[in-house]
Amino acid sequence: MVLLNRVHNLKKTNIFQDVLARAQGKKEVVSLAVGDNTGPIEKEVIEELLEEVRIFGTEGGHKGYPPEEGLDSLKQWINKIFYNGRFSSEEIFISDGIKTDLFRFQTLFGPEARSSFFLPGYPTYKEGCEIIGAPTHPVYLDFLSGFNPLVDNVPIFDVFYLCSPNNPTGIALTQKEMEALFAKARNNGGVIVHDACYAPYIQSKKPRTVYFDEQALDVAIELGSFSKWAAFSGIRLSWAVVPKELKFRDGSSILKAYTSFLNATYNGVSWLSQKMGCALLKRGNIYLKGVETTMKRVVSMKELFRSSGFEVFGGEDGPYFLVKTGVDFLEKYNILTLPLSSFATRYKGFTRVSGFVSEKNWEIVTSRLQNSF
Ligand code: PLP
């Protein structure tokens, strides 16, 4: 046998399935583990989707394959709403999810790239690298420093997968911390891939994008997604920004390489998802309503856990926060949360709590925690 099995060390299921399995067979479990926004999508957006579907059923209305890099109209909306029109259409690529795009960039940068990321963090940073055989150097966040990202601890890297605000901590980097990371990348010829999945949830003055000014243009790619704030996880729609200034060490353009890579390996995102994205964005800042509700929920959840005697961390700028447990929430309260040890085994005794919870379930959690003291 000559082939190397690169995936045999990966976990057989994703971490969330493992957690759900624990709750199976138990009655009246309330979940605070879900990291998915399944709220209803705006009626007007659905109407536009239905109209688009109808067009596909008409003679001559079927448009065939979409452009590999995405619809120009959607790119323009993204550029306008998230980046103040800073980029050209060629620098924005529409995709069907950050998860897919992460693996694309991991493949593009290849097995020689020394890759780093904060842990606990989104598992694909590590697992995607492991699949392609790229060496990884995790930077562990520490509860003694409140799970804050310590950029000084970041080693020299070829690629750094940054998630701000982070899943699972809900903590975002300050502008100064980002600038320190950009300097590290620039001084050592590295590139940052910023996973901005939860950026619209940032409540503080911390940057929602690495492109808050021009500094990151030659060191960072940014990945944005409609999954969480727009409840599009089941629709699948995201984007990647690859600034034209970004270069490989030999001086060649990352933008050009990525365009060729996509043309060779991808046939584009469904017209329907893209049209829904346009329909949503042209309605302006409407999406922030959902974000506001979730973040208000996070504030009251943190307060409840604190007043119930638990230490809590993070959650200022993202829909998740951490609780130092001391007890098994599932056993004691019939409440399911996501143990931090499922991100990295060293984090025993902490758990992630999610703000994506219905009003009804929140009331049940409140009464269970309040009645237990
Ligand atoms: N990045 C982070 C940090 C996530 O938590 C998730 C989903 O939970 C994703 C990316 C996946 O995003 P998408 O639905 O765009 O693939």
Side-chain angles (χ1 to χ4, degrees):
M1 280 295 132
V2 289
L3 296 180
L4 193 62
N5 180 355
R6 293 193 192 280
V7 299
H8 70 286
N9 281 334
L10 294 182
K11 285 203 202 167
K12 298 218 171 24
T13 57
N14 73 34
I15 54 178
F16 190 58
Q17 284 163 349
D18 282 348
V19 170
L20 282 184
R22 267 204 80 205
Q24 242 165 27
K26 279 185 169 277
K27 287 211 176 90
E28 293 171 15
V29 175
V30 176
S31 178
L32 297 182
V34 183
D36 201 353
N37 181 359
T38 50
I41 294 171
E42 302 279 313
K43 235 193 190 143
E44 290 80 353
V45 175
I46 298 295
E47 287 307 321
E48 291 210 28
L49 166 70
L50 295 177
E51 185 50 36
E52 189 63 22
V53 174
R54 277 185 210 107
I55 294 172
F56 268 79
T58 60
E59 199 60 51
H62 194 301
K63 291 189 272 278
Y65 287 113
E68 285 96 346
E69 295 128 38
L71 292 188
D72 206 55
S73 50
L74 180 56
K75 292 179 181 202
Q76 284 181 24
W77 277 115
I78 289 169
N79 197 17
K80 180 171 174 218
I81 291 189
F82 297 99
Y83 302 109
N84 259 329
R86 177 188 292 281
F87 295 102
S88 64
S89 274
E90 292 70 39
E91 294 167 290
I92 300 175
F93 298 83
I94 306 301
S95 182
D96 58 359
I98 288 183
K99 196 170 189 175
T100 330
D101 272 358
L102 282 167
F103 192 62
R104 287 203 178 104
F105 284 104
Q106 286 165 329
T107 311
L108 180 74
F109 293 131
E112 293 81 24
R114 293 161 301 173
S115 299
S116 189
F117 38 80
F118 290 119
L119 258 185
Y122 191 55
T124 303
Y125 312 142
K126 182 165 179 285
E127 294 183 347
C129 286
E130 283 173 6
I131 291 170
I132 62 160
T136 58
H137 188 141
V139 181
Y140 289 100
L141 305 175
D142 187 346
F143 87 96
L144 291 174
S145 45
F147 291 96
N148 278 299
L150 299 179
V151 176
D152 281 351
N153 294 348
V154 173
I156 289 179
F157 57 83
D158 294 314
V159 190
F160 191 85
Y161 296 93
L162 171 69
C163 186
S164 179
N166 177 265
N167 173 10
T169 64
I171 299 174
L173 262 71
T174 62
Q175 182 170 327
K176 239 174 124 189
E177 286 163 342
M178 281 196 180
E179 285 168 350
L181 202 56
F182 301 160
K184 274 196 189 212
R186 192 170 296 112
N187 293 339
N188 300 293
V191 63
I192 295 158
V193 176
H194 177 222
D195 174 346
C197 193
Y198 299 97
Y201 290 87
I202 292 183
Q203 304 293 296
S204 65
K205 293 227 156 28
K206 293 178 182 177
R208 284 188 175 161
T209 166
V210 285
Y211 310 119
F212 48 82
D213 63 16
E214 309 218 322
Q215 292 181 65
L217 293 179
D218 64 338
V219 287
I221 287 162
E222 185 160 277
L223 311 179
S225 175
F226 287 70
S227 286
K228 308 292 169 165
W229 55 268
F232 267 39
S233 54
I235 308 295
R236 310 308 296 145
L237 192 62
S238 70
W239 69 89
V241 179
V242 185
K244 59 183 179 323
E245 289 82 353
L246 276 171
K247 302 268 191 285
F248 287 103
R249 294 228 169 97
D250 67 0
S252 62
S253 159
I254 294 184
L255 171 64
K256 277 197 184 143
Y258 192 59
T259 309
S260 308
F261 178 100
L262 273 188
N263 290 337
T265 59
Y266 195 47
N267 267 338
V269 185
S270 155
W271 289 98
L272 305 177
S273 306
Q274 298 197 66
K275 290 288 180 174
M276 283 179 79
C278 287
L280 187 80
L281 293 185
K282 77 178 180 208
R283 293 169 55 68
N285 272 344
I286 196 97
Y287 71 86
L288 289 177
K289 258 199 216 160
V291 169
E292 211 179 290
T293 312
T294 305
M295 291 312 289
K296 272 192 187 147
R297 175 69 37 82
V298 167
V299 169
S300 54
M301 289 171 101
K302 280 172 67 177
E303 193 40 49
L304 175 70
F305 276 96
R306 242 187 231 120
S307 61
S308 304
F310 295 101
E311 207 176 340
V312 300
F313 301 86
E316 288 83 15
D317 287 308
Y320 310 118
F321 60 97
L322 303 182
V323 179
K324 191 162 190 252
T325 52
V327 290
D328 185 331
F329 283 161
L330 189 60
E331 289 302 320
K332 184 153 184 209
Y333 309 109
N334 226 4
I335 296 173
L336 189 67
T337 55
L338 188 61
L340 208 54
S341 56
S342 52
F343 289 87
T345 47
R346 62 170 59 198
Y347 295 111
K348 292 205 170 49
F350 294 89
T351 200
R352 185 193 81 173
V353 174
S354 166
F356 296 119
V357 56
S358 68
E359 190 64 42
K360 186 170 152 251
N361 280 353
W362 177 233
E363 279 167 17
I364 300 172
V365 170
T366 308
S367 85
R368 283 190 193 165
L369 282 173
Q370 284 175 343
N371 293 336
S372 67
F373 287 91

